Each structure stands twice: as structure tokens, then as C-alpha cells.
């Protein structure tokens, strides 16, 4: 039987995503060290890019569940020397129970999934970051209940996080207001797919109007370091600051996947202020991914 993969949030049905969020909250609130559904199972984690949260949360999650995780970098595996992805996927998946990949090209993850006999998880690509959305949505549900019918405002780069927010809006039925500088809009195919849930605005304040959640991300993602200067100019009016938060609902939450640059995409006042839930959001990577691992590896 073909394994279930998680290369995109859209690999889940609405019902499955709801179930994962509830399960993540349950696992967080009732930690039972005796519950070890992944005893003896191994997760291979392939990181072609840096990570703090993704690496630690997957590793700790596997240990909590009685299993273990292998950290693999292309620098010291044959992947970095050009071994074909299809061969690597076949070999690695013959030895482990699940594979997580963080890479530039989204196609690397989908190719791996095609050739793997075990579940493949997208730990971030240039196009999507679905694991982060599991944690973000868990965080919203914990603080405010169901997000259905609510409004989230995405401010800044139309990047991998923005794309996965569009998927979340589709699956969980919320409205997504987007304000990105021109030239930095999300890709048309993502916009097209989420058309009924997404609206575009010229300024962050307009996008944030009546929002229940304001979200942003770095102006230059991993791999775009050389564009930093150019982007600082393009994004200078796309900062989440007090004025933007004031346009949103009084009880609006602020989220950021982290790492953040205070003074660029968000002011210190907002990210360290009372509406910010960034540390719950970061912690929830652990709980949400435990729910995901259980779903992919233990479902009958
Ligand atoms: N948010 C996130 O994915 O963090 P890391 O890059 O530290 O894994
Ligand atoms: N958009 C960011 C997210 C980091 C978690 C990046 O791709 O670098």
C-alpha cells in the first residue's frame, strides 16, 4: 500500500486537519510518558537548510514517542554529491519508518515521496511550510477557538508561509487578507487555488482591518540573503507595528513562525507585546508534529 505523505497541507482533508489540531492539543495537555506508539521506529531528517524549531521538535517528538531521529545533512551524505533523489529515497526508506526533508526545491520533496516506501514530510521548501501551519492553527484554536469564518491578515512576503496560509484558509474556512509589496506576491497558482478565501490589499493597515490574527515573516527567507538590501527597501512599508495591530480587532493575535528580525518585519513592541503568541506557536511545533507522526505512522 502507498504510504500517506505530508508534502503539503492540502495532503490533508478538512476533517483530518481538524482532527490533527484536536489531537495536538490533547497530546500537549495530557503528556503520558508511558504512551510510546513509535517505539523502535526511526525518523530520518534531511536538512539542506538551517533549523532550530523543526529539528528539535521532530527529534524530541520521536523520543517522547519511544522512537529516534537521525539528523542528515547533504554535506555528509551522498545526497550532497549528486546521488539521484530516486535512489536516495528508495535506500533511505528501506531503513527508516519516516523521512522529513527541508530543502529549497519543492520538487525534491515530491520526488522523494514518489520513490519512498515510507511517509515523507515537508519540513519546509521554498514553496510551502505546512508543519508550521499545523502549529499556527493549533495556537489559534487554543487561544480563540475555531478559526472558521474569522479573518487572518498576512503581511509581508508572499512566500512559503503565505502559500501554506492560503491552504489553511481553504481547509479551515477562514478569510485571508494579504498585503505584499508589488513583485513579492504569492505565486499565481496558489492564488488561483485559494481564490474564494483570499483578498489582496495595498497596505498592511487595510489588510489588518478587523482581522482576528496578524501574521508576518522575514523579508528575506533562507537562500535570499543576497537580496536582503533590496528587500529592505521594497518591504519598508510592510512592517507589523502598533498602527497595524490597532487596525485589527482589539483581541487579535500576532504570530510569526520565527526566527524574526525585530525592527524589520515586526516591531519589538508588537512581537514582545501582549497580543503576541509566538512562543506558544513555537512550542506547538512539537505537539502538532507528534500528532502528525502518529497520524502518518500509526493510523490503520
Ligand atoms: N519556524 C521554523 O521552521 O523554524 P526553524 O527554521 O528554526 O526550524
Ligand atoms: N520564510 C522563511 C521561514 C523560516 C521558518 C524561510 O523560508 O526562510
Amino acid at each position: 500500500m502507498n504510504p500517506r505523505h505530508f508534502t503539503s497541507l492540502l495532503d490533508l482533508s478538512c476533517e483530518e486537519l481538524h482532527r490533527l489540531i484536536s489531537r495536538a492539543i490533547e497530546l500537549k495537555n495530557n503528556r503520558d510518558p508511558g504512551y510510546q506508539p513509535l517505539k523502535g521506529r526511526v525518523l530520518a531528517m534531511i536538512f539542506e537548510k538551517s533549523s532550530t524549531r523543526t529539528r528539535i521538535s521532530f527529534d524530541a517528538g520521536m523520543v517522547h514517542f519511544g522512537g529516534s531521529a537521525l539528523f542528515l545533512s547533504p554535506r555528509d551524505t551522498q545526497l550532497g554529491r549528486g546521488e539521484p533523489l530516486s535512489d536516495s529515497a528508495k535506500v533511505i526508506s528501506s531503513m527508516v519508518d519516516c523521512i522529513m526533508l527541508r530543502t529549497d526545491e519543492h520538487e525534491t520533496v515530491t520526488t522523494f515521496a514518489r520513490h519512498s516506501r515510507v511517509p515523507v514530510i515537508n519540513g519546509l521548501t521554498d514553496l510551502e511550510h505546512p508543519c508550521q501551519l499545523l502549529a499556527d492553527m493549533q495556537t489559534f484554536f487554543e487561544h480563540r477557538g475555531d478559526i472558521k469564518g474569522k479573518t487572518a491578515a498576512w503581511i509581508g512576503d508572499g512566500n512559503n508561509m503565505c502559500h501554506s496560509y492560503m491552504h489553511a484558509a481553504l481547509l479551515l474556512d477562514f478569510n485571508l487578507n494579504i498585503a505584499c509589496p508589488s513583485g513579492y506576491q504569492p505565486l499565481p497558482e496558489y492564488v488561483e487555488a485559494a481564490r474564494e478565501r483570499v483578498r489582496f490589499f495595498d497596505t498592511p493597515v487595510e489588510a489588518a482591518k478587523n482581522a482576528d490574527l496578524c501574521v508576518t515573516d522575514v523579508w528575506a527567507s533562507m537562500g535570499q540573503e543576497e537580496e536582503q538590501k533590496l528587500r529592505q527597501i521594497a518591504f519598508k512599508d510592510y512592517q507589523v507595528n502598533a498602527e497595524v495591530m490597532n487596525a485589527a480587532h482589539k483581541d487579535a493575535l500576532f504570530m510569526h513562525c520565527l526566527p524574526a528580525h525585530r525592527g524589520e518585519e515586526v516591531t519589538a513592541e508588537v512581537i514582545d507585546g501582549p497580543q503576541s503568541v509566538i512562543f506558544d506557536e513555537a512550542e506547538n511545533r512539537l505537539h502538532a508534529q507528534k500528532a502528525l507522526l502518529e497520524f502518518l505512522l500509526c493510523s490503520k
Side-chain angles (χ1 to χ4, degrees):
M1 209 176 72
N2 286 338
R4 277 298 291 265
H5 299 295
F6 185 64
T7 61
S8 169
L9 206 61
L10 292 186
D11 285 345
L12 300 174
S13 67
C14 309
E15 195 267 327
E16 285 169 338
L17 178 52
H18 274 284
R19 220 165 0 111
L20 273 187
I21 294 167
S22 305
R23 183 61 180 148
I25 294 171
E26 193 176 23
L27 285 167
K28 180 178 183 175
N29 295 334
N30 308 302
R31 169 99 202 273
D32 170 8
Y35 179 61
Q36 303 212 324
L38 301 182
K39 207 171 174 117
R41 317 277 289 271
V42 179
L43 168 73
M45 307 189 296
I46 302 168
F47 281 97
E48 292 183 351
K49 295 174 163 191
S50 307
S51 167
T52 296
R53 282 144 287 268
T54 306
R55 178 175 176 179
I56 297 170
S57 53
F58 270 113
D59 199 339
M62 284 303 291
V63 171
H64 288 182
F65 274 172
S68 57
L70 296 173
F71 174 78
L72 305 169
S73 106
R75 248 199 325 276
D76 33 54
T77 60
Q78 301 289 3
L79 271 168
R81 298 182 58 247
E83 182 165 7
L85 289 177
S86 53
D87 289 358
S88 301
K90 283 175 194 153
V91 171
I92 296 170
S93 71
S94 72
M95 299 180 190
V96 304
D97 302 279
C98 189
I99 299 170
M100 194 245 42
L101 267 152
R102 169 169 284 198
T103 173
D104 303 314
E105 300 283 333
H106 192 76
E107 217 190 313
T108 302
V109 173
T110 51
T111 303
F112 238 82
R114 254 197 329 279
H115 296 280
S116 169
R117 60 158 94 154
V118 300
V120 170
I121 297 172
N122 176 353
L124 179 146
T125 66
D126 285 350
L127 293 187
E128 298 182 31
H129 194 6
C131 288
Q132 184 67 50
L133 261 292
L134 297 180
D136 284 28
M137 292 300 105
Q138 177 188 346
T139 309
F140 191 91
F141 275 63
E142 282 176 341
H143 283 268
R144 298 283 181 264
D146 200 338
I147 197 166
K148 183 183 168 100
K150 306 266 188 197
T151 299
W154 176 268
I155 289 150
D157 195 10
N159 62 9
N160 44 10
M161 278 296 298
C162 178
H163 291 158
S164 287
Y165 257 90
M166 293 161 89
H167 288 165
L170 271 176
L171 289 173
L172 298 176
D173 232 359
F174 64 88
N175 304 307
L176 187 64
N177 293 348
I178 298 180
C180 305
S182 83
Y184 298 95
Q185 305 283 339
L187 291 177
E189 55 268 36
Y190 285 85
V191 177
E192 182 54 31
R195 182 167 86 243
E196 76 227 49
R197 287 273 144 249
V198 169
R199 289 176 66 198
F200 286 87
F201 295 84
D202 291 334
T203 67
V205 167
E206 283 173 72
K209 218 166 264 170
N210 297 322
D212 303 284
L213 167 65
C214 295
V215 199
T216 190
D217 189 8
V218 288
W219 289 344
S221 284
M222 288 182 275
Q224 296 170 337
E225 290 77 7
E226 279 172 16
E227 296 174 33
Q228 179 72 30
K229 286 235 156 65
L230 195 74
R231 283 172 172 262
Q232 256 160 352
I233 297 163
F235 284 82
K236 71 174 179 16
D237 297 326
Y238 288 78
Q239 181 187 63
V240 180
N241 51 30
E243 189 195 354
V244 172
M245 290 308 289
N246 286 339
H249 276 153
K250 246 215 272 311
D251 70 345
L253 299 175
F254 171 78
M255 291 193 202
H256 188 309
C257 63
L258 304 180
H261 296 107
R262 288 166 175 77
E264 291 187 17
E265 73 272 10
V266 59
T267 58
E269 183 188 15
V270 168
I271 197 168
D272 299 319
Q275 288 166 277
S276 172
V277 289
I278 53 163
F279 295 117
D280 290 337
E281 187 188 356
E283 180 191 328
N284 284 341
R285 293 294 303 277
L286 170 68
H287 310 296
Q289 286 158 202
K290 283 171 75 176
L292 175 69
L293 288 165
E294 185 187 54
F295 170 77
L296 293 175
L297 296 175
C298 305
S299 300
K300 296 273 169 333

